[in-house]
Amino acid sequence: MLMENILFILTDQWRADCTGYRNHPIVKTPNLDKLAKKSVDFENSFTVIYAHRPEVAY
Protein backbone atom coordinates (compact mmCIF):
# COMPACT_ATOMS: atom_id res chain seq x y z
CA MET A 1 0.00 0.00 0.00
CA LEU A 2 1.40 3.38 -1.05
CA MET A 3 1.33 6.01 1.69
CA GLU A 4 1.10 9.60 0.50
CA ASN A 5 2.53 12.50 2.47
CA ILE A 6 0.31 15.53 2.87
CA LEU A 7 1.74 18.85 3.97
CA PHE A 8 -0.42 21.91 4.50
CA ILE A 9 1.43 25.19 4.84
CA LEU A 10 -0.78 27.75 6.50
CA THR A 11 0.45 31.30 6.85
CA ASP A 12 -0.91 34.56 8.13
CA GLN A 13 -0.67 38.14 6.94
CA TRP A 14 0.69 37.62 3.44
CA ARG A 15 -0.78 36.78 0.07
CA ALA A 16 -0.23 33.53 -1.80
CA ASP A 17 1.50 35.31 -4.68
CA CYS A 18 4.28 36.50 -2.33
CA THR A 19 6.47 33.50 -3.12
CA GLY A 20 9.31 32.94 -5.51
CA TYR A 21 7.58 30.17 -7.40
CA ARG A 22 4.67 32.52 -8.11
CA ASN A 23 7.20 34.95 -9.67
CA HIS A 24 7.22 37.67 -7.03
CA PRO A 25 9.83 40.26 -8.09
CA ILE A 26 11.28 40.83 -4.59
CA VAL A 27 10.42 37.96 -2.23
CA LYS A 28 12.77 34.96 -2.37
CA THR A 29 11.52 31.61 -1.04
CA PRO A 30 14.03 28.98 -2.20
CA ASN A 31 12.81 26.20 0.09
CA LEU A 32 9.17 26.68 -0.88
CA ASP A 33 10.24 26.84 -4.53
CA LYS A 34 11.91 23.42 -4.26
CA LEU A 35 8.86 21.97 -2.54
CA ALA A 36 6.49 23.51 -5.09
CA LYS A 37 8.34 21.86 -8.00
CA LYS A 38 7.44 18.43 -6.60
CA SER A 39 3.98 19.29 -5.31
CA VAL A 40 0.43 20.18 -6.15
CA ASP A 41 -0.44 23.83 -5.67
CA PHE A 42 -4.10 24.55 -5.03
CA GLU A 43 -4.56 27.98 -6.57
CA ASN A 44 -8.27 28.36 -5.85
CA SER A 45 -8.91 27.60 -2.21
CA PHE A 46 -10.59 29.48 0.61
CA THR A 47 -11.37 29.27 4.27
CA VAL A 48 -14.52 29.77 6.31
CA ILE A 49 -12.58 31.67 8.97
CA TYR A 50 -13.09 35.39 8.58
CA ALA A 51 -9.95 37.50 8.51
CA HIS A 52 -11.14 40.73 10.13
CA ARG A 53 -11.67 40.00 13.80
CA PRO A 54 -11.63 42.72 16.51
CA GLU A 55 -8.95 40.95 18.55
CA VAL A 56 -6.40 41.22 15.72
CA ALA A 57 -7.18 44.81 14.75
CA TYR A 58 -4.21 47.15 14.52
Side-chain angles (χ1 to χ4, degrees), residues 38-58:
K38 302 178 187 178
S39 304
V40 175
D41 182 17
F42 296 100
E43 296 179 6
N44 190 17
S45 60
F46 60 93
T47 181
V48 296
I49 299 172
Y50 53 93
H52 301 286
R53 302 183 320 261
E55 65 269 18
V56 294
Y58 296 104

Side-chain angles (χ1 to χ4, degrees), residues 7 9 24 37 55:
L7 173 66
I9 298 177
H24 193 276
K37 286 181 183 180
E55 65 269 18

Side-chain angles (χ1 to χ4, degrees), residues 11-28:
T11 60
D12 189 20
Q13 309 251 342
W14 60 289
R15 299 183 333 199
D17 64 346
C18 291
T19 56
Y21 71 91
R22 291 256 178 107
N23 299 320
H24 193 276
I26 298 172
V27 177
K28 306 298 180 205

Side-chain angles (χ1 to χ4, degrees), residues 1-8 38-40 42:
M1 181 170 145
L2 179 64
M3 299 293 289
E4 296 289 333
N5 293 323
I6 298 174
L7 173 66
F8 287 101
K38 302 178 187 178
S39 304
V40 175
F42 296 100

